Amino acid sequence: NAGVTQTPKFQVLKTGQSMTLQCAQDMNHNSMYWYRQDPGMGLRLIYYSASEGTTDKGEVPNGYNVSRLNKREFSLRLESAAPSQTSVYFCASSYDRGTEAFFGQGTRLTVV
Amino acid sequence: AQSVTQLGSHVSVSEGALVLLRCNYSSSVPPYLFWYVQYPNQGLQLLLKYTSAATLVKGINGFEAEFKKSETSFHLTKPSAHMSDAAEYFCAVSAIYNQGGKLIFGQGTELSVKP
């Protein structure tokens, strides 16, 4: 049972490049989340999807877009990467809104 | 809106000593509360959760936390620290009936354990 799988694990982008972070869960969870983790700031919610077909902004959505492709997959897109988006990105899922979340191993993104 | 404040970004204890990590929350509706642990270069793992049942919650690895509504607190404790407890700990709050169940995290507390 893989749980929450994120790809890629590491990525280096140049300023202005675009990329999509992929996330898939195999636990039949309804809710999915994208967070970024920066030193001293904890995890900040970028976007979340309470159920298939819905997405909502979190605390720091600027510069990002998301797609809830189906129940299993929730992708995060950076259209024009900026150095301020250098961070570790975590995808998570939970059975229902507000219940405990299960996390992927993270994507370490560096924008130069 | 929900929010979480973790008091102390770094806590250092000696092996065998009491561990106390502080968390205060703000929520306009009855909250669900969680503690997660993160080991270096890994994702987050659930330690324990409060979901309006017993106010004293026991989790994995000997940790427990007590929900105190009057103090809006959910502090994490362990009677005797072990070297393997060194990690970063995050408190989180959610509210099923409000704001779509967003899960909001505190800033984290890094726990160091001295031999």
Side-chain angles (χ1 to χ4, degrees):
Chain A
N1 194 355
V4 179
T5 302
Q6 291 182 235
T7 55
K9 287 185 170 48
F10 300 94
Q11 184 71 49
V12 178
L13 288 179
K14 293 182 178 179
T15 297
Q17 285 186 317
S18 63
M19 80 160 295
T20 299
L21 280 63
Q22 306 287 353
C23 176
Q25 52 90 10
D26 62 2
M27 295 175 283
N28 199 36
H29 284 173
N30 294 302
S31 300
M32 297 186 74
Y33 312 82
W34 275 106
Y35 291 90
R36 60 178 289 173
Q37 184 178 24
D38 303 290
M41 305 195 74
L43 278 81
R44 292 181 292 170
L45 183 63
I46 304 171
Y47 271 93
Y48 70 107
S49 172
S51 60
E52 186 179 358
T54 68
T55 60
D56 284 289
K57 295 178 180 179
E59 302 165 279
V60 288
N62 291 344
Y64 305 95
N65 285 300
V66 291
S67 295
R68 182 75 184 265
L69 303 169
N70 47 55
K71 191 171 185 179
R72 289 187 65 246
E73 298 172 286
F74 189 39
S75 63
L76 178 71
R77 183 160 179 83
L78 287 70
E79 291 290 351
S80 179
S84 60
Q85 295 178 305
T86 293
S87 187
V88 181
Y89 290 85
F90 286 100
C91 177
S93 70
S94 63
Y95 178 73
D96 204 350
R97 56 187 74 186
T99 56
E100 67 265 32
F102 294 81
F103 282 79
Q105 291 298 298
T107 296
R108 189 172 297 273
L109 175 67
T110 302
V111 183
V112 298
Chain B
Q2 306 122 270
S3 66
V4 173
T5 301
Q6 291 184 239
L7 299 176
S9 57
H10 292 91
V11 170
S12 182
V13 300
S14 297
E15 191 172 20
L18 171 72
V19 175
L20 171 60
L21 305 182
R22 300 178 187 273
C23 172
N24 288 89
Y25 70 91
S26 172
S27 179
S28 57
V29 296
Y32 285 15
L33 293 158
F34 309 88
W35 275 100
Y36 285 84
V37 60
Q38 184 182 34
Y39 299 102
N41 299 314
Q42 294 190 25
L44 277 72
Q45 177 184 0
L46 181 70
L47 270 180
L48 51 78
K49 62 182 179 181
Y50 166 78
T51 56
S52 74
T55 56
L56 182 62
V57 181
K58 295 187 184 299
I60 62 172
N61 301 338
F63 284 94
E64 63 181 36
E66 186 172 7
F67 172 69
K68 291 187 176 181
K69 183 178 179 180
S70 61
E71 299 177 8
T72 60
S73 68
F74 190 57
H75 302 330
L76 181 71
T77 60
K78 181 174 181 177
S80 177
H82 192 272
M83 296 296 290
S84 60
D85 294 328
E88 190 154 21
Y89 293 79
F90 293 93
C91 183
V93 63
S94 73
I96 278 191
Y97 303 110
N98 193 29
Q99 298 184 20
K102 287 191 295 187
L103 185 60
I104 302 298
F105 283 81
Q107 292 154 317
T109 298
E110 185 173 354
L111 176 66
S112 301
V113 182
K114 298 175 290 187

